[in-house]
Amino acid sequence: MSIKGLDVSKFQGEVDWERVKAAGYKFAMLRAGYGFNTVDEQFRRNASECNRIGLPIGAYWFCYATSPSSAVQEADGCVKTISDYRLEYPVCYDIEQATIDYAAGQGVTITPALARQLVQSFCDRIEAKGYYAMFYSNRNFLEQYLGNDLSKRYSLWYARYTDTFDGTDCSMWQYTSQGNVPGISGNVDLDLSYVDFPSVIRSAGLNHLSGTSPAPSPSPSPSADYITYVIQPGDTLSGIAARFGTTVSELTRINKISDPDRIYAGNTIKVPEKSGSATRTYTIRPGDTLSGIASRYGTTVAAIARLNNIPDPDRIHAGKTIRIPN
């Protein structure tokens, strides 16, 4: 699965969003601002227009932080800026070479360890505020500063301008800065999303899409007979069927899946729930720990880890649906 989108800032001027949507673009990542509470001049117009016409949006904030505490301040400024708008895509921290150059001008050397701390501080704060966190980087910056571990914890928006995707583990790929889009003057960045973020974010109760922050509870079922399941990377329909005690044919029937060999990470499907089932489902929320979930439902970390094939109980991800023993 790949979903066609783009990203913009004040440098694209006043965008005709109706023409952008009519051209087939399915989402937009909007620069909300940068540094300490500096709002992008076009963000509020862009967000309002996209919300008005129903074009899903996410937001990004450019990093000029020089310490973990200033990264938290940037996250707070970002949340303050985006809170009046409907976001169905992640809130992203954009860290790249300009961050390093700015810090050097302030007399601060950004080491790889500090760069990772900046991303963690921003993203953790965004999650604490109830949003889906992401970070943006390019191949050179990943290799020099961030490494590959952060993408196991937060979604990665990966920038590399090539005709062919290189297979990097990411949720979104920015593949050119020279796109030509109706309704936008000049060049624009183009992106492909490999995750159905609106479904994942709604299922996890993130980004305040319901207007309130719901209390942690088992994932809502679309009916009394079904539970929802967010497909994870590496899942197969036969594996899901075996895990939930159903059949591939039943899953294809109720979800109208034409090809059982083609399912996509991030999509949400219905799974039959048997009366008196030995398990229930729960969608992980920001700040959750496996020990906290286990305590809430009167089970153990080992039981949940075993049931869900979780290799590292200290690494769980907001938005993922897991099974809980009854």
Side-chain angles (χ1 to χ4, degrees):
M1 176 187 66
S2 59
I3 303 170
K4 186 169 73 169
L6 72 165
D7 60 274
V8 302
S9 68
K10 71 174 185 178
F11 300 109
Q12 278 67 52
E14 290 198 0
V15 175
D16 185 339
W17 286 105
E18 291 187 347
R19 291 183 65 195
V20 172
K21 185 179 180 182
Y25 290 89
K26 303 299 184 183
F27 73 92
M29 296 294 291
L30 311 178
R31 188 175 77 162
Y34 55 90
F36 181 66
N37 215 23
T38 304
V39 179
D40 185 283
E41 295 170 12
Q42 289 293 328
F43 173 73
R44 292 192 171 93
R45 179 186 178 277
N46 286 335
S48 295
E49 282 294 287
C50 289
N51 281 180
R52 179 181 67 82
I53 67 173
L55 182 66
I57 60 171
Y60 70 96
W61 196 269
F62 194 90
C63 172
Y64 283 121
T66 57
S67 66
S69 61
S70 57
V72 170
Q73 288 181 320
E74 291 188 336
D76 287 342
C78 179
V79 168
K80 179 181 177 182
T81 302
I82 66 178
S83 60
D84 289 335
Y85 305 98
R86 178 182 177 87
L87 271 68
E88 297 177 80
Y89 273 74
V91 179
C92 182
Y93 204 29
D94 182 348
I95 182 169
E96 45 190 289
Q97 186 59 44
T99 304
I100 307 300
D101 296 341
Y102 173 81
Q106 304 300 306
V108 177
T109 299
I110 303 291
T111 63
L114 178 54
R116 289 190 290 271
Q117 288 177 337
L118 298 180
V119 172
Q120 290 170 331
S121 297
F122 182 94
C123 289
D124 286 352
R125 186 67 164 182
I126 291 298
E127 288 187 344
K129 295 294 185 178
Y131 289 89
Y132 191 111
M134 172 184 268
F135 71 102
Y136 169 101
S137 197
N138 57 53
R139 170 49 51 195
N140 289 338
F141 201 89
L142 287 172
E143 290 177 348
Q144 293 182 40
Y145 291 96
L146 298 182
N148 296 318
D149 286 345
L150 284 174
S151 62
K152 299 176 183 176
R153 174 63 179 83
Y154 314 102
S155 288
L156 169 62
W157 179 10
Y158 176 57
R160 189 172 188 185
Y161 303 153
T162 60
D163 293 332
T164 305
F165 181 54
D166 65 6
T168 294
D169 184 12
C170 66
S171 300
M172 190 181 295
W173 175 34
Q174 184 187 76
Y175 61 91
T176 184
S177 61
Q178 298 183 336
N180 184 10
V181 176
I184 300 179
S185 299
N187 293 334
V188 62
D189 299 336
L190 300 182
D191 306 278
L192 294 174
S193 177
Y194 299 117
V195 173
D196 180 3
F197 278 114
S199 293
V200 171
I201 287 170
R202 281 195 300 270
S203 295
L206 299 175
N207 289 18
H208 306 282
L209 291 183
S210 64
T212 60
S213 298
S217 62
S219 301
S221 301
S223 74
D225 301 319
Y226 298 103
I227 59 174
T228 57
Y229 178 74
V230 180
I231 299 170
Q232 304 299 315
D235 272 345
T236 63
L237 212 57
S238 59
I240 296 171
R243 193 179 313 157
F244 288 96
T246 185
T247 64
V248 171
S249 60
E250 180 67 2
L251 292 178
T252 56
R253 183 186 67 79
I254 63 178
N255 293 284
K256 297 181 172 60
I257 297 172
S258 57
D259 184 350
D261 293 324
R262 288 181 178 269
I263 59 173
Y264 303 101
N267 281 358
T268 300
I269 62 173
K270 294 187 293 183
V271 178
E273 184 176 40
K274 296 180 180 179
S275 177
S277 172
T279 64
R280 72 189 84 183
T281 59
Y282 177 75
T283 301
I284 298 168
R285 302 181 186 279
D288 274 343
T289 62
L290 215 55
S291 60
I293 296 170
S295 175
R296 190 179 310 149
Y297 289 102
T299 185
T300 66
V301 170
I304 298 176
R306 182 171 58 252
L307 187 62
N308 295 277
N309 298 318
I310 298 174
D312 184 351
D314 293 326
R315 289 185 179 233
I316 59 175
H317 305 290
K320 183 174 181 178
T321 300
I322 59 174
R323 289 187 298 157
I324 308 293
N326 272 331

